[in-house]
Amino acid sequence: MQANDMRLLKGAAMPTVLVGLIVIGVAALLAGGKGALGAAIGTLVVCVFFTLGVVAVSVAGRVSPMMMMTAAVLTYAVKIIIVMALLKAFEGATAFEPKAFGWAVIVCTIAWTIGEMRGFMKLKMLYVDPEAPVPGQGGPR
């Protein structure tokens, strides 16, 4: 991973973990230990899935910009499908509180998205290569 990708990952993961800890605390107050466990699992799912997405996009970005966009769209679609499947699969869970899991996933996803957007806005990425030769200028005649 490049340094920019690490900064982006850190900028999204840190607020998500903090928000996740708050959600776990609220779930513990409202639903006890099972609520806290459900919220912790939800927070972990979001952090793992979105981290894998950033890594996949970073690796694809080294190949080509088109591959990067393809990876971004595909990882987003896969994440949404898997999270929806997990929400459906865990709706009748008894080991933890499924509502706390669902709320944690929703709130942490929002926190990750906001952190990632903020990280992109602060990132200073060149969209033009300043070292690239300009066609038609310089060179022998």
Side-chain angles (χ1 to χ4, degrees):
M1 286 185 88
Q2 297 176 353
N4 285 341
D5 298 328
M6 286 305 294
R7 274 186 268 156
L8 182 65
L9 183 61
K10 186 173 130 183
M14 287 178 58
T16 303
V17 170
L18 293 175
V19 167
L21 291 173
I22 293 169
V23 172
I24 291 168
V26 170
L29 289 174
L30 296 177
K34 286 187 175 188
L37 180 60
I41 293 170
T43 301
L44 182 65
V45 164
V46 169
C47 288
V48 168
F49 279 22
F50 281 78
T51 298
L52 291 175
V54 169
V55 170
V57 170
S58 174
V59 169
R62 283 188 247 142
V63 175
S64 77
M66 286 179 54
M67 193 68 146
M68 183 174 160
M69 186 62 183
T70 303
V73 171
L74 285 177
T75 57
Y76 176 77
V78 168
K79 284 186 287 194
I80 295 301
I81 290 168
I82 292 174
V83 167
M84 287 186 338
L86 287 174
L87 288 171
K88 185 66 177 162
F90 291 151
E91 78 180 340
T94 57
F96 59 88
E97 179 58 48
K99 286 185 181 178
F101 171 81
W103 279 107
V105 167
I106 291 168
V107 171
C108 288
T109 298
I110 291 169
W112 185 283
T113 303
I114 291 170
E116 203 169 31
M117 288 184 336
R118 184 174 179 266
F120 271 121
M121 287 190 293
K122 293 179 95 180
L123 209 57
K124 292 180 173 60
M125 290 179 26
L126 298 174
Y127 56 90
V128 175
D129 184 8
E131 303 297 321
V134 178
Q137 291 183 353
R141 291 187 186 220

